[in-house]
Amino acid sequence: PMTDTQSEPRFDVVAIGNAIVDVLSHCRDEVIEDLGLTRGGMTLVDTGRAEELYTHMGQTAQVSGGSAANTLVGLAALGARCAFIGQVADDALGEVFAHDIRAADIAFTTPARAGDPPTARCLIFVTDDAQRTMNTYLGASQFLPAEALDLEMIADSAVLYLEGYLWDPEEPRAAMRKAIATARQAGRRVAFTLSDAFVIDRHGDDFRTLIREGAIDILFANETELAALTGIADFDEALASLAKQVPVVVATKGERGAVAVAHGERAEVVAEPISRVVDTTGAGDLFAAGFLFGHV
């Protein structure tokens, strides 16, 4: 039976993530080697490196991004009611981000932060094989304080969705722990995406503790992250071990499709064959959007 605290939620999904503006540019393969970039991965960069890389970019397109924000845009496009919590600076890119996310019909009320550092940006080099190589300058997004959380909004959402990327800086990590506690108390579900193997290398113990404590209801991972988190190389074995601790585990295998295990029941889908892949930026984020939409 529903209690008073578990009233019909105002939002389907509230997400906490990095508020980032993506700066995309297509480049030749050798540029990746010349600049010493990690092909297909995500690297954090400081101001100097961000400026250096930007000078090597050809014509660019600016698109608001950030993993969890991308997922919300997908969810909103499908008709879900969404809200986003993330930190921008009081600058031009911050205005771009706020405009774009609200234009997608997503509630966004986190106040902009005055002064430096500027709004986060991700410099993305897309090669001819559609692979994206990301270089992220986190700027203001890593200063999301716990007091910027709208706790009522979190308690009023069926699912709280968190991105692993945001677990790296200290301030947002504390905010996310507080958000999890708030969602739990309101009887809501917590979904978590592991984001990238480098985050697991640095904070895997934290994630394993959250899982052990039963703080996560839905976990998203790709096969690399799955292996990094469990320490098990075999995909099916790794999935089975996690499924014992998390009610719903969803794992993607790139062009080989995806698998989900929910309460012991396993489902698998093959990838849609396509003749030409253009750009894989945000692919995993949008996959999560589709899954969460079906879930809520």
Side-chain angles (χ1 to χ4, degrees):
M2 270 191 157
T3 61
D4 288 344
T5 54
Q6 282 169 295
S7 55
E8 178 60 27
R10 188 159 60 110
F11 297 107
D12 294 308
V13 181
V14 60
I16 304 180
N18 283 313
I20 300 180
V21 177
D22 290 344
V23 181
L24 296 112
S25 128
H26 285 265
C27 73
R28 296 190 322 280
D29 257 9
E30 46 272 31
V31 172
I32 305 292
E33 276 83 76
D34 294 350
L35 293 172
L37 304 175
T38 311
R39 173 186 291 276
M42 200 282 265
T43 308
L44 293 175
V45 296
D46 60 15
T47 318
R49 177 71 167 156
E51 282 166 4
E52 178 201 355
L53 291 176
Y54 187 61
T55 61
H56 287 91
M57 293 184 102
Q59 203 175 4
T60 61
Q62 290 189 354
V63 187
S64 292
S67 175
N70 287 342
T71 297
L72 288 182
V73 170
L75 274 158
L78 290 167
R81 298 159 305 158
C82 302
F84 179 70
I85 297 170
Q87 188 68 67
V88 294
D90 188 4
D91 58 13
L93 280 187
E95 280 177 37
V96 167
F97 182 90
H99 167 86
D100 287 354
I101 199 149
R102 289 178 186 136
D105 206 18
I106 294 160
F108 175 57
T109 56
T110 315
R113 189 175 184 274
D116 275 340
T119 295
R121 68 218 51 194
C122 181
L123 308 177
I124 305 179
F125 292 79
V126 182
T127 39
D128 290 337
D129 60 358
Q131 184 60 272
R132 89 286 184 275
T133 298
M134 306 190 293
N135 305 272
T136 307
Y137 171 65
L138 283 173
S141 71
Q142 61 195 320
F143 295 99
L144 175 75
E147 53 273 19
L149 295 181
D150 183 335
L151 299 180
E152 271 176 50
M153 189 185 261
I154 293 167
D156 217 359
S157 301
V159 176
L160 167 67
Y161 182 66
L162 307 169
E163 61 170 82
Y165 284 134
L166 202 54
W167 203 265
D168 209 49
E170 206 174 323
E171 216 170 349
R173 198 180 321 151
M176 284 166 100
R177 284 191 183 280
K178 187 171 177 181
I180 291 171
T182 304
R184 279 262 158 272
Q185 214 173 343
R188 309 304 188 188
R189 278 159 299 177
V190 177
F192 194 91
T193 178
L194 288 166
S195 298
D196 201 296
F198 93 88
V199 187
I200 300 166
D201 291 341
R202 291 156 71 143
H203 304 285
D205 288 344
D206 271 0
F207 298 157
R208 287 182 276 267
T209 302
L210 284 175
I211 288 166
R212 216 176 26 248
E213 289 170 353
I216 296 172
D217 301 296
I218 306 166
L219 185 69
F220 291 94
N222 64 26
E223 48 193 335
T224 316
E225 294 153 7
L226 193 63
L229 184 72
T230 59
I232 302 168
D234 181 80
F235 180 84
D236 292 308
E237 244 178 89
L239 190 62
S241 83
L242 260 186
K244 288 189 185 108
Q245 306 175 73
V246 182
V248 181
V249 182
V250 190
T252 54
K253 301 190 283 187
E255 71 280 7
R256 298 194 315 290
V259 187
V261 182
H263 315 286
E265 198 180 333
R266 185 186 159 111
E268 192 154 354
V269 290
V270 293
E272 202 61 39
I274 43 174
S275 54
R276 182 170 162 260
V277 186
V278 178
D279 182 355
T280 52
T281 307
D285 303 330
L286 273 293
F287 172 83
F291 186 93
L292 285 172
F293 183 72
H295 185 80
V296 298

